[in-house]
Amino acid sequence: MGFEKMTEVQSRTIPPLMAGRDVLGAAKTGSGKTLAFLIPAIEMLTSLKFKPRNGTGCLVITPTRELALQIYGVAHELLEHHSQTLGIVIGGANRRNEADKLSRGVNLLIATPGRLLDHLQNTPGFVFKNLKALVLDEADRILEMGFEDEMRQIIKIIPSQDRQTMLFSATQTTKVEDLARISLRPGPLYINVDYHKEASTVEGLEQGYVICEADKRFLLLFSFLKRFSKKKIIVFFSSCASVKYYAELLNYIDLPVLDLHGKQKQQKRTNTFFEFRNAEKGTLICTDVAARGLDIPAVDWIVQFDPPDDPRDYIHRVGRTARGSDGKGRSLMFLQTNEVGFLKYLKEARVPVVEFEFPAKKLVNVQSQLEKLIGKNYYLNGSAKDGYKSYLQAYASHSLRTVFDVHKLDLIKVAKSFGFSTPPKVDIQLGSARDKRSTQRRDYGPRSRGAKRRRDD
Ligand code: ADP
Ligand code: MG
């Protein structure tokens, strides 16, 4: 692959992993964790001379389908001169083709939890009794609500004797330690490459926020995207319906963007992911389905149009830029005046972020054209309503309620950012959403068959 030196996380985890130890590895976004687990995994499969009939020897579990596809790509490259077989099982793909492939023997299997559990329970030809290694990439995310039940069942079904476990992420929660306690063998190594470092984000990243009132939010985004039209940009939103609306709107007014969220068909998601990966410039607007692990080359800007749910999500979102050794990138978060309390949480999480100015006179004022368009275009009007409604719902179920208080929003201004001159009537009980747990608002795509559906699906 042309790499001459190991990154720090690689040099500290690959040797103990090759010696068969269990490892819980923490290192910043973009620091090379994928190779840190794939190299020992493939060495193990090779040295044990795994054949197709031996079935799955190593299992890699990831939270999203696109991340699974990406890891599959790296593993494919690494296995080029090996005889061991590689496979992938993800929700939204053809289940029967996957089952056929599993029955022919997949030594290294990359998977998302729901579909994996389905195959473990329902695919008779799937041989996993020889499993020797389990990898959880983005371990903290996989153990959050929504995946927890599935993970518990998976851990129960797969062999635990004589199995090595590798847990990796840029951020940790106590959940990871809980899992470490139950599923790691005695004497696991805890390797945290960053614990002595000042910031929890990488050095080459220049991070800013801008204070912007609700009614100016879209104008600012529009002006920003116009100004940086030669750059490669990812913009994060809090709900699928907002992504859908703003993508339709921007494409309609000749500012072409790609969009990615959990309510799309998988084929479309896959195409969009690879198209944006290979693009030199352009804009991707998306939910947190793209927040974790994706290694997209040369992204210039990460824009958080809707603030993240917590500092951990913030760190993963901005981690889509400034990747690899000496990577550079910039990020911009939109905050409304009632939301500046979030900065304190970022500070506590050791995220260095400064205020960026965006001069008011540089705002392209297209508000009246926007309102005219949304007034007369039936289709966009419907999407705008859905977007508006889901924005409020997401807001109401935010995990940091003291900062993101839906009752502090000025609905007239919020509606303006969706193109309405007066707020549309939406039928939601903002109060009741407050009891939902925060993770439910996040979009990590639809769940597989049999799994509980979350509100966002
Ligand atoms: P992480 O999982 O820690 O966020 P990745 O494994 O996705 O990071 O790697 C980030 C980027 O760094 C990838 O483009 C990868 O090809 C590159 N990379 C990995 N190992 C090395 C290395 N030893 N030297 C230089 N670049 C590397
Ligand atoms: Mg990764």
Side-chain angles (χ1 to χ4, degrees):
M1 287 172 166
F3 299 143
E4 293 181 357
K5 273 203 239 120
M6 285 191 273
T7 64
E8 188 176 354
V9 66
Q10 290 165 357
S11 68
R12 288 187 54 197
T13 57
I14 290 176
L17 283 172
M18 302 239 300
R21 299 278 302 264
D22 282 2
V23 167
L24 197 155
K28 285 177 189 174
T29 53
S31 58
K33 295 186 287 294
T34 315
L35 290 179
F37 59 76
L38 281 182
I39 289 172
I42 290 169
E43 284 296 322
M44 180 273 290
L45 294 172
T46 313
S47 66
L48 293 178
K49 303 196 169 55
F50 259 82
K51 301 274 183 314
R53 65 167 185 281
N54 302 122
T56 299
C58 177
L59 181 57
V60 179
I61 304 181
T62 86
T64 69
R65 301 164 184 182
E66 288 72 22
L67 180 54
L69 287 163
Q70 174 180 300
I71 295 172
Y72 178 89
V74 179
H76 186 80
E77 212 179 326
L78 287 172
L79 281 167
E80 210 166 312
H81 304 286
H82 294 260
S83 61
Q84 277 68 37
T85 52
L86 174 66
I88 179 166
V89 299
I90 53 175
N94 185 312
R95 208 191 153 279
R96 192 178 309 152
N97 289 351
E98 291 179 353
D100 286 349
K101 182 121 198 256
L102 287 174
S103 306
R104 275 179 269 126
V106 172
N107 300 142
L108 174 56
L109 180 64
I110 322 291
T112 51
R115 183 58 69 87
L116 172 67
L117 181 60
D118 185 352
H119 283 297
L120 286 170
Q121 291 170 330
N122 305 314
T123 302
F126 179 14
V127 177
F128 53 86
K129 64 173 196 289
N130 297 317
L131 188 76
K132 292 280 175 279
L134 170 68
V135 181
L136 302 192
D137 191 21
E138 306 292 345
D140 58 329
R141 172 60 199 146
I142 294 179
L143 300 173
E144 273 171 31
M145 216 180 78
F147 290 117
E148 213 181 347
D149 290 350
E150 285 161 7
M151 275 314 298
R152 218 180 286 280
Q153 294 187 59
I154 289 168
I155 299 278
K156 238 191 242 160
I157 297 172
I158 59 176
S160 58
Q161 264 216 317
D162 200 20
R163 186 201 75 214
Q164 181 180 28
T165 305
M166 324 180 191
L167 306 178
F168 278 89
S169 186
T171 51
Q172 300 286 352
T173 61
T174 47
K175 287 260 172 69
V176 178
E177 287 162 26
D178 291 347
L179 181 88
R181 228 171 288 130
I182 53 168
S183 80
L184 300 187
R185 294 166 300 178
L189 272 178
Y190 292 80
I191 296 176
N192 184 344
V193 170
D194 307 316
Y195 78 98
H196 56 282
K197 307 230 166 101
E198 255 162 46
S200 25
T201 45
V202 297
E203 235 173 64
L205 184 62
E206 204 184 309
Q207 305 174 68
Y209 64 90
V210 60
I211 308 278
C212 180
E213 284 316 308
D215 55 339
K216 298 287 180 314
R217 277 159 47 77
F218 175 71
L219 301 183
L220 180 57
L221 179 67
F222 178 79
S223 313
F224 182 95
L225 293 179
K226 276 251 176 257
R227 169 158 170 209
F228 292 112
S229 60
K230 301 264 173 347
K231 300 284 184 190
K232 195 163 173 181
I233 303 169
I234 303 180
V235 189
F236 285 98
F237 290 75
S238 59
S239 74
C240 299
S242 301
V243 169
K244 179 171 173 286
Y245 165 59
Y246 283 111
E248 286 166 5
L249 174 64
L250 289 163
N251 283 319
Y252 190 87
I253 58 179
D254 266 348
L255 215 159
V257 297
L258 294 169
D259 59 318
L260 183 69
H261 62 77
K263 277 187 196 147
Q264 295 164 325
K265 292 235 163 66
Q266 188 52 39
Q267 194 54 52
K268 152 117 183 154
R269 278 172 65 169
T270 304
N271 292 348
T272 301
F273 171 56
F274 286 109
E275 182 177 345
F276 188 67
R277 242 190 107 119
N278 297 335
E280 244 165 61
K281 58 178 177 135
T283 301
L284 175 72
I285 74 177
C286 58
T287 59
D288 277 326
V289 77
R292 291 264 183 169
L294 300 186
D295 189 48
I296 297 169
V299 175
D300 299 292
W301 278 102
I302 303 296
V303 178
Q304 308 198 44
F305 183 73
D306 295 332
D309 208 48
D310 57 22
R312 218 157 32 98
D313 283 356
Y314 176 99
I315 289 167
H316 288 281
R317 284 173 165 193
V318 299
R320 296 317 102 222
T321 185
R323 300 177 63 74
S325 36
D326 303 322
K328 295 261 180 294
R330 284 187 285 182
S331 70
L332 176 68
M333 175 172 54
F334 286 35
L335 284 181
Q336 299 174 45
T337 24
N338 61 300
E339 298 171 340
V340 290
F342 185 57
L343 296 171
K344 187 184 81 183
Y345 289 90
L346 286 182
K347 198 165 174 203
E348 278 166 16
R350 296 181 299 150
V351 173
V353 48
V354 298
E355 184 167 359
F356 284 177
E357 298 283 345
F358 201 94
K361 63 176 193 297
K362 289 225 171 122
L363 273 191
V364 187
N365 197 347
V366 288
Q367 187 65 33
S368 63
Q369 290 106 300
L370 174 65
E371 286 175 24
K372 235 182 259 155
L373 175 64
I374 298 308
K376 67 168 201 258
N377 185 312
Y378 177 79
Y379 187 76
L380 279 176
N381 189 286
S383 295
K385 240 179 234 161
D386 293 343
Y388 173 74
K389 181 172 159 184
S390 70
Y391 171 78
L392 294 179
Q393 266 168 343
Y395 211 99
S397 57
H398 206 288
S399 72
L400 296 172
R401 265 167 219 151
T402 48
V403 177
F404 300 94
D405 180 352
V406 72
H407 300 288
K408 289 209 180 114
L409 289 178
D410 179 338
L411 294 187
I412 295 176
K413 288 187 172 178
V414 172
K416 282 204 173 290
S417 68
F418 285 86
F420 296 111
S421 40
T422 50
K425 278 213 173 54
V426 293
D427 182 27
I428 48 166
Q429 296 268 303
L430 292 182
S432 69
R434 305 188 121 226
D435 305 326
K436 298 263 162 62
R437 293 268 296 276
S438 69
T439 41
Q440 289 186 304
R441 74 185 271 274
R442 295 193 196 150
D443 174 35
Y444 278 89
R447 321 295 300 124
S448 283
R449 242 159 26 109
K452 255 188 252 129
R453 291 175 72 83
R454 287 163 309 144
R455 228 187 49 224
D456 211 17
D457 303 339

